[in-house]
Amino acid sequence: EPEVTQTPSHQVTQMGQEVILRCVPISNHLYFYWYRQILGQKVEFLVSFYNNEISEKSEIFDDQFSVERPDGSNFTLKIRSTKLEDSAMYFCASSEPLSYEQYFGPGTRLTVT
Amino acid sequence: SQQGEEDPQALSIQEGENATMNCSYKTSINNLQWYRQNSGRGLVHLILIRSNEREKHSGRLRVTLDTSKKSSSLLITASRAADTASYFCAPMDSNYQLIWGAGTKLIIKP
């Protein structure tokens, strides 16, 4: 069964460093999302992406964040200058056209020290 | 806040019993989805119920939706140890965004 994959599974970085989290959505899906979940807290929407542009973004998704679909398969989230409070589990999700069901990847645990 | 709110926050039952989790929300919705999350793992889509549907079944799962009360319930029948997880309801608002609550932590005791 097709699934969303994410790499790396765990990323440790120092405050102020840039990180890129990678996702490979399901191949025929056209809508892509990033969410984050701080340990023990709720899932929070970051951004949705369709047709090579951002469709929606939350207040969390400030100028430090960017997303890109550099080729036909990858979908990336970049954090330019990480802060301690960026430590969280980051989930990528995708959905197919005309469907509202989102399929999530296993997540990348980002630890900022 | 527009978030979904699950109730109870935690539920512990014996294997074989039924588990019922409830969800309330505040905004008008396009649909409502339920997800499962095993500890430290990703979110798994369980079921989607549209705003014009009242009940939906999938295997041992039964979901109801009452849009007049802005509430939904998830029933898992004949629970198994493998059902131990956190369960989240995620209403999808008119902007097609999922709104997440804190989840119900379900523990199935063998």
Side-chain angles (χ1 to χ4, degrees), chain A residues 37-48:
Chain A
Q37 186 180 32
I38 295 170
L39 187 63
Q41 297 188 25
K42 299 173 186 174
V43 175
E44 299 173 290
F45 168 77
L46 293 178
V47 66
S48 59

Side-chain angles (χ1 to χ4, degrees), chain B residues 62-88:
Chain B
R62 174 177 161 250
V63 167
T64 63
L65 178 64
D66 186 335
T67 51
S68 66
K69 295 181 180 176
K70 291 187 164 53
S71 67
S72 174
S73 68
L74 170 67
L75 168 69
I76 304 174
T77 59
S79 62
R80 304 168 182 167
D83 294 330
T84 294
S86 290
Y87 291 82
F88 296 88

Side-chain angles (χ1 to χ4, degrees), chain A residues 39-58:
Chain A
L39 187 63
Q41 297 188 25
K42 299 173 186 174
V43 175
E44 299 173 290
F45 168 77
L46 293 178
V47 66
S48 59
F49 191 87
Y50 169 70
N51 200 24
N52 282 322
E53 59 183 30
I54 291 173
S55 336
E56 298 282 343
K57 60 181 181 178
S58 71

Side-chain angles (χ1 to χ4, degrees), chain B residues 18 32 34 38 45 47 53 56 59-60 70 77 92:
Chain B
N18 296 342
L32 186 143
W34 284 89
N38 290 81
H45 184 271
I47 197 164
E53 296 177 308
K56 199 158 182 183
R60 293 183 296 113
K70 291 187 164 53
T77 59
M92 178 172 276

